[in-house]
Structure formats: structure tokens, C-alpha cells
Amino acid sequence: MTSETFSPGLDGVIATDTKISLLDTDVEMIIVRGYDLIELAQNLNYTDVAYLVIYGRLPTEAQGREFCETLAEQAEIPDELYRLFELMPKSTVAMDALRTGISFLAGFEDPDLLNDNSHEANLKKGLKLLAQVPALAVNSYRALNDMPFVRPDQSLGYMENFMYMLRGEKPDAVSLDAFDRIHMCYIEHEMPNSTFAARVIASTLADMYGAMVGAVASLKGRLHGGANEAAIEFLLDILKEGGPPRAEAYVMEKLEARARIMGFGHRVYMKKYDPRAKFLMEYIPRLADRVPDGEELASIYNTVEQVMFREKALYPNTDFPIGLLYYELGIPIPLYTPIFLASRTAGNVAHVLEQHDDNRLFRPRVIYSGARDLHPPDKAISPG
Ligand code: SDX
């Protein structure tokens, strides 16, 4: 066995050698396939970056067109999925509905393809999942809330179709631009818990669908992707309790009670600014006029950020601005983390491809601090 070091939460542990992305905190840059993610988010669109993440290079115009056509052709989900969503208890959490939908999809996959972990087979499955995750996320939520399904419009672009299904109408240009840039910021982020979950599962040679289901289960957690929903709920609580004049005292009370303020802190960034948060916060004032309480929420946002830095030397991570931005875009709060997952599907597909292309089973060891040298009685205790 190599070095027997123990790091709680695998803090600082290198889990794999990857060509997909790195959080280079020395230069405060998220490197994705050699590019600065923020520069990509400023200049390109989600499907360009999804192509880059999955194939390892930016598409030519023809490749980009073909990629988008493939995603559009495969955007619709089997009719049985709509029936499944209607059968779900209305108390089902949106992320659980999405997780179940992805799991159910596996049964509709060609059995030979399902269990074929070759690069070509994984690429086919990965593109299908990327194409279908918007319809899964939106229409499972619609079913849980007795809203009519909005099936994909395959004549629309990937992100335009996503917003069309969300809203039931085509988005305006400003909303679509903001939604696309937010989506690019979520696309890939080195080795977060959910990506690691996908790779751990794939490393047993389990299939792409199983790896994705594990990633959804992980991302739901409030310490991870679930923080974007908790972050907006925190701001709305302050709004309810008195608005901007109440913000500082409210945060101080929470900190004195040793509460976690969701949307702040990060295992890797620690005392540094998440480059995605710094980029996206610029959009908050631009969209504030789209909701009645936008100006107040933007003011509360700024106060919370100032107090968290002053009291805990903590900066926002990407979930803090995105929670408010999705609210300004009129997205229902329970859909925030499913939308995060939809974006990260491109990154997770790339990681499962990389894992299966050069696999080694993840199997860590433990420090055992339990009892030893105990012996059972010489006959069974229970009736069996
Ligand atoms: C995402 O990994 C990724 O890259 C994830 C992600 C991605 O793109 O995939 O970036 C997306 O998940 C962002 C993170 C979203 N989660 C939250 O916003 C939840 C709130 N954040 C924290 O719970 C925490 O910062 C974590 C979970 C993100 C990181 O936790 P760590 O590295 O285990 O740090 P820690 O819990 O040991 O905290 C260190 C100190 C503690 O102080 P002490 O108890 O030692 O005095 O910082 C404090 C913590 O109390 N602290 C916070 C805090 N985060 C850390 N205090 C108040 N509020 C917080 N949010």
C-alpha cells in the first residue's frame, strides 16, 4: 500500500489525473480544457463550452452546428417518463424527481449500448443525457406542481428551448443571454463531491446512467448544489423580516448562533473569491428591475456579502449570486439545483468518459478506531 495518510473529507487529496479542468487558486482561474472559464462565459455560449468540455477542443462551425442538431433531435424524452412524473407523489422534491427520471431513462437505452463503456458508446449516452436533462428537470417539476407539460421545441436552440420549457413561452434576449452565461459558469469545476461521486461509481465499470444518478444525489445536498436554493431563501427571509435595514443584524444573529450562511465559503477557494461569483454578480443590478423586490434584494445581497467578509473573512461562492439571478429570471426556487445539474451534466459526462477510458477502481482504506479481539457466544442469540 502507498502512503497511509488520512485527510478528513479528503481535504487536499489528489483523486485523479485529469485533462478536463483545474481550479488554479494561485492565479484565481478556473481552467477548462486550457481556457479560462470566465473568458469562455464572456465570449461563447453553453453549447460551445459543452462541446469543448466533452470533446476536449472547441468546435468548428460545422461541428458546433452538428452538435446542436444532435441535442435538438434527442431533446424529447420517452412518453413513459411523463407518465412516471404524473405518478410521483406531489411531495417529491424536484431533485429526487430528476434523479428518478435519469434512473428510469436507463431502461430505455439499447441494452448493448447501456453496458458498453467504450468511448464511442459513452459519448452516445452522454450526448443523449445532455439533450434530455432539460426536459427531465422542467417537466418533472411541472408534474409535481400540477402544471401542464411543455415538451421540447426542437426548432429552438438548446438554451432557448430550456427557457421555453421553463416559462411556456420563448425567452426575451436579455433573459436568454443571462441564463446562458450562468449555465456556462456551472458547467465544470474540477473535482466537486458530485463529480467525484460520478467517477467513483464509474470506476467499478458501472454505466454512465448510474454515475449520473449518483452525481444528482450528491449535488442535492445543501453543502453542495443545494446551496443556491438556500441562498435565495436566506435573502427572502431577510426581506420578509424588514428588508435592507434588517440585513446586518439578521446575519450577525445567525453567525452568533453558529449557523452556516449558504452560498459562502468553499473547500478549495477558502478565503478567496470564486471567479464565477465575481463575474456573475455584475448581472444582479442589470436584472433587478424584473422582479418587484429586485432593488431591495440586491441591497440585502451586498450587505450580507460585506458582513460575511468582515466577520468570517468569507467570500461568496457561485451559488450566492446565482440564487438571486435565477430569482430575478423568474425561475421557481425548487428548480435551481436541477438546473445546476443540467449544466454540470456536460462536465460529468466528460469525467465518466475519462474515467472509463483509463480506469482504476477507487477503493480507499481506513484508520480503524473501533473495538478488537471480541468473541461471540457459542450459540445464536436471536431466533433467526
Ligand atoms: C458548491 O466543490 C465544488 O467546487 C462545489 C461547487 C461546484 O461548482 O461544484 O463550487 C458548488 O457546492 C459551492 C459550495 C456551496 N455550499 C455552500 O455554500 C454551503 C455553505 N458553505 C459551507 O458549508 C462550506 O464553506 C463548504 C461546505 C462549502 C466547505 O466546507 P469545508 O471546506 O469543510 O470548511 P469548513 O466547514 O471546515 O469551514 C471552515 C470554517 C469553519 O469555521 P470554524 O468552525 O473552524 O470556526 O469556515 C466556517 C466554518 O464554520 N464556514 C462558514 C461557512 N463556510 C465555512 N461559516 C458560516 N457560513 C459558511 N457558509
Side-chain angles (χ1 to χ4, degrees), residues 189 192 223-224 260-267 276 317 344:
H189 206 239
L223 292 187
H224 191 6
R260 285 294 167 107
I261 314 302
M262 296 303 168
F264 283 86
H266 194 279
R267 173 63 63 79
R276 301 167 297 177
N317 55 58
R344 188 61 56 84

Side-chain angles (χ1 to χ4, degrees), residues 194-205:
S194 51
T195 303
F196 184 51
R199 290 194 76 138
V200 164
I201 292 166
S203 77
T204 69
L205 300 187

Side-chain angles (χ1 to χ4, degrees), residues 8 11 23 185-195 219 221-228 231 255 258-271 274 276 308 312 314-315 317-320 340 344:
D11 195 345
L23 307 188
C185 288
Y186 264 151
I187 194 168
E188 165 61 17
H189 206 239
E190 191 196 84
M191 197 48 70
N193 186 286
S194 51
T195 303
L219 193 72
R222 288 163 68 85
L223 292 187
H224 191 6
N228 57 16
L255 292 178
R258 295 190 62 75
R260 285 294 167 107
I261 314 302
M262 296 303 168
F264 283 86
H266 194 279
R267 173 63 63 79
V268 176
Y269 295 127
M270 290 186 291
K271 305 289 184 190
D274 183 334
R276 301 167 297 177
M308 286 300 286
K312 303 286 285 188
L314 286 174
Y315 288 110
N317 55 58
T318 196
D319 286 328
F320 193 55
F340 182 167
R344 188 61 56 84

Side-chain angles (χ1 to χ4, degrees), residues 18 92 123 125 149 161 167 188 209 215 235 263 290-291 294 303 313 364:
T18 180
T92 306
L123 210 42
K125 290 176 281 186
F149 291 129
N161 175 54
R167 293 182 168 181
E188 165 61 17
Y209 289 88
L235 297 180
R290 288 163 175 268
V291 285
T303 303

Side-chain angles (χ1 to χ4, degrees), residues 51-84:
Y51 187 100
L52 168 69
V53 167
I54 291 171
Y55 289 94
R57 63 188 183 282
L58 284 173
T60 62
E61 213 172 300
Q63 289 167 334
R65 202 169 32 253
E66 185 186 355
F67 182 65
C68 291
E69 282 163 8
T70 302
L71 293 177
E73 283 157 16
Q74 302 192 72
E76 182 55 286
I77 54 180
D79 284 342
E80 292 84 346
L81 268 291
Y82 291 97
R83 297 216 304 273
L84 169 75

Side-chain angles (χ1 to χ4, degrees), residues 98-291:
L98 176 54
R99 191 193 66 224
T100 306
I102 291 175
S103 196
F104 194 44
L105 263 187
F108 297 88
E109 187 53 85
D110 171 302
D112 295 332
L113 197 66
L114 180 67
N115 296 308
D116 180 349
N117 290 332
S118 68
H119 192 88
E120 189 193 358
N122 273 342
L123 210 42
K124 279 186 186 151
K125 290 176 281 186
L127 293 192
K128 197 181 294 180
L129 278 161
L130 183 62
Q132 294 180 343
V133 66
L136 286 174
V138 174
N139 283 306
S140 55
Y141 172 79
R142 284 180 168 273
L144 295 175
N145 292 275
D146 294 323
M147 296 162 69
F149 291 129
V150 177
R151 290 177 177 255
D153 178 339
Q154 293 166 301
S155 70
L156 301 178
Y158 185 80
M159 294 307 292
E160 190 178 17
N161 175 54
F162 204 154
M163 286 206 96
Y164 162 69
M165 291 191 288
L166 277 167
R167 293 182 168 181
E169 60 182 23
K170 289 184 189 176
D172 61 278
V174 172
S175 300
L176 181 58
D177 178 73
F179 188 60
D180 196 312
R181 299 200 192 279
I182 296 167
H183 224 55
M184 281 186 270
C185 288
Y186 264 151
I187 194 168
E188 165 61 17
H189 206 239
E190 191 196 84
M191 197 48 70
N193 186 286
S194 51
T195 303
F196 184 51
R199 290 194 76 138
V200 164
I201 292 166
S203 77
T204 69
L205 300 187
D207 62 78
M208 174 76 75
Y209 289 88
M212 287 300 156
V213 167
V216 179
S218 158
L219 193 72
K220 176 187 173 187
R222 288 163 68 85
L223 292 187
H224 191 6
N228 57 16
E229 294 177 17
I232 187 59
E233 285 160 1
F234 185 75
L235 297 180
L236 291 170
D237 285 347
I238 295 174
L239 190 66
K240 270 200 301 271
E241 291 234 351
R246 175 85 175 98
E248 166 141 10
Y250 189 92
V251 177
M252 292 304 288
E253 285 160 20
K254 292 296 179 188
L255 292 178
E256 274 142 34
R258 295 190 62 75
R260 285 294 167 107
I261 314 302
M262 296 303 168
F264 283 86
H266 194 279
R267 173 63 63 79
V268 176
Y269 295 127
M270 290 186 291
K271 305 289 184 190
K272 295 202 173 175
Y273 224 114
D274 183 334
R276 301 167 297 177
K278 198 179 279 185
F279 167 61
L280 289 173
M281 66 185 287
E282 304 300 322
Y283 282 80
I284 290 171
R286 296 184 211 170
L287 300 175
D289 61 354
R290 288 163 175 268
V291 285

Side-chain angles (χ1 to χ4, degrees), residues 340-358:
F340 182 167
L341 188 277
S343 170
R344 188 61 56 84
T345 296
N348 290 336
V349 165
H351 278 278
V352 172
L353 277 163
E354 191 175 68
Q355 185 66 38
H356 279 158
D357 287 351
D358 180 16

